[in-house]
Amino acid sequence: MLELRDVQTYYGNIQALKGISLKVNQGEVVTLIGSNGAGKTTTLRTIQGLNRPRYGTILFEGKALETLPTDTIVRLGISQSPEGRLVFPRMTVRENLEMGAFSRSDKEGIAQDMERALNLFPRLRERLAQKAGTLSGGEQQMLAIGRALMARPRLLLLDEPSMGLAPMLVEQIFQTVIEINEQGTTVLLVEQNARMALAVADRGYVLQTGRIVLEDTGPNLLRSETVRKAYLGEH
Amino acid sequence: MATTSPTVRTGSALPRWARNLALTLLILYIVLLVGPIAGLDAPRIWQSIAAEPKTLVQVALVGLANGSIIAIIALGYTLVYGIIELINFAHADVFMLTAFMSLTVLGAIGVDQKSSSGQIFVGVLVALVVAVLFGALLNASIERLAYRRLRNAPRLAPLISAIGVSFILQNLGLFWGGLRIIFPVMGVNAAAPKTFPQLLPEGILFQDGPIIFRQKDLIIILASVAFMIALRLFVQYTRLGKAMRATAQNRDAAKIMGINVDTVIAFTFLLGGGLAGVAGLLVGLYNGTIVFNMGLTAGLRAFTAAVLGGIGNITGAMLGGFLIGLLAAFSDVYFSSRWTNAWVFAILVVILIFRPLGLLGEAGGEKA
């Protein structure tokens, strides 16, 4: 479904991605783990065209993405819950969700997906008329994911959904990720919380300073010596 | 050279409130000392108000009428600033050129005060449509040519570009004013103020001593308020309006919603330029004269109005417009009309020091 081939992205003269190649197949949950600054967020931003790769190809269902504008990429079926959530603080929760469906015009489908998002995150239903800037961090995270789902994406990019959340909420968010995947959405999940991410993922890639150093199935990576030492804090 | 640093030292010895207090006292001192020179002479002002309180009402009415036009121009500043954090210094000159365009159209159609009211209505309507389209396209072209390439440049670059465009437009106005062979309405002297035909009804609606409220005052205020309400509703409820708000609040987030941010920004300039077109025609009709450098004063007042209300905030720009209109009218009558711009500028400085967010501004940014 999605394939990156030797993608290299720069910030000015600093090379953030030093040749990333990865694959996401239809129906999978694939995770990208690695420490701070490894290039996880940059990978997602590059897929969506927020950063441009200097070299390499990005194919989504056979279509090259690397020169397309972000809004076209969203229309092709890739949406994202970004790092830092980036909800619209001065819009209500309802307006934020509606913005998620900006690229669509099928009123009925949008209403269905609104219902689905609110069923996944009942907390949001209670806060529909509230300004998003007044929500707690966890609620904003739910809103960011719900908003990304409103595009009815075929591929959902999730950037650190567990960031800054209480452990109970983290578990709930990952439970929701599984649910979303079971409802038919392919997921590419970026996480620092490697244990949780690998537990829900079919396959995973380990990123280190802009390079992929390891790839395997989720369970295999959980058992791997390198991952245990570097990312799960076991010795 | 090695010591220049853009960051402000925060480890100052005085606490923040003490510095603010000192600054307030200093400004108060300057105002009291210099104020009388600039017309701020409280006993004299108090006497003249006490002698004829009705004049104050008249001042307020004039302030509201002028303020409504300032408010429309201020909207152009605030819309653009809200969305790309650029002070579009060329905006007031776009406004000036739309006034020239209105006059040219009215001259070409040939309506003047002697025409029938039906002809006047049609003429003004045509002038309005042309001025709005002209202002919109001009502003959007400026964005495309002078600002878009600089969108990821340091913030000073587009600002300087905007000042440059402002000069170009002023000279265009001067040039346009000299085309009397093509446009006889421009008169003999290129730089001289141009006379607008008196097309608004001058009938007096209400009179009481010095208080005079004419039909044209009412028309100006109603027209301005109507456009402001329309804009407010547009931004609140339409798809494009929501895209504008989203882009203003977070450009990256707007992009990943599938919003074409370039289109939204271009549209914002169209909208601001169109409003400048409304203001250009209204000012010509209301004041009766236009001049190539009128963007300077109008720009200062409208920009101050936008900052006073909270730059980026639409309701704030309207409120600021009316307040600055009132202040200017008050200063014209009670301080000294020569110092009115100085007072407006003083307001700008004071807001920037004490409440940069303006009256209705909210702290932006994403709080966790």
Side-chain angles (χ1 to χ4, degrees), chain B residues 34-42 44-45 334-336 339 343:
Chain B
V34 187
I37 303 171
L40 183 66
D41 181 356
R44 181 180 54 75
I45 295 171
Y334 292 111
F335 296 173
S336 156
W339 287 89
W343 284 113

Side-chain angles (χ1 to χ4, degrees), chain B residues 26-110:
Chain B
L26 180 71
I27 289 176
L28 213 62
Y29 177 74
I30 293 173
V31 166
L32 288 177
L33 194 74
V34 187
I37 303 171
L40 183 66
D41 181 356
R44 181 180 54 75
I45 295 171
W46 183 244
Q47 269 175 12
S48 43
I49 292 179
E52 184 48 285
K54 283 176 183 168
T55 307
L56 196 60
V57 178
Q58 176 60 16
V59 164
L61 287 175
V62 169
L64 284 183
N66 285 324
S68 62
I69 295 174
I70 295 174
I72 295 189
I73 306 173
L75 286 172
Y77 282 105
T78 240
L79 283 174
V80 164
Y81 186 88
I83 219 151
I84 54 171
E85 299 190 359
L86 165 73
I87 297 162
N88 182 10
F89 277 114
H91 182 70
D93 300 290
V94 171
F95 149 75
M96 176 273 297
L97 284 182
T98 62
F100 273 71
M101 180 53 101
S102 308
L103 179 60
T104 306
V105 170
L106 289 173
I109 299 176

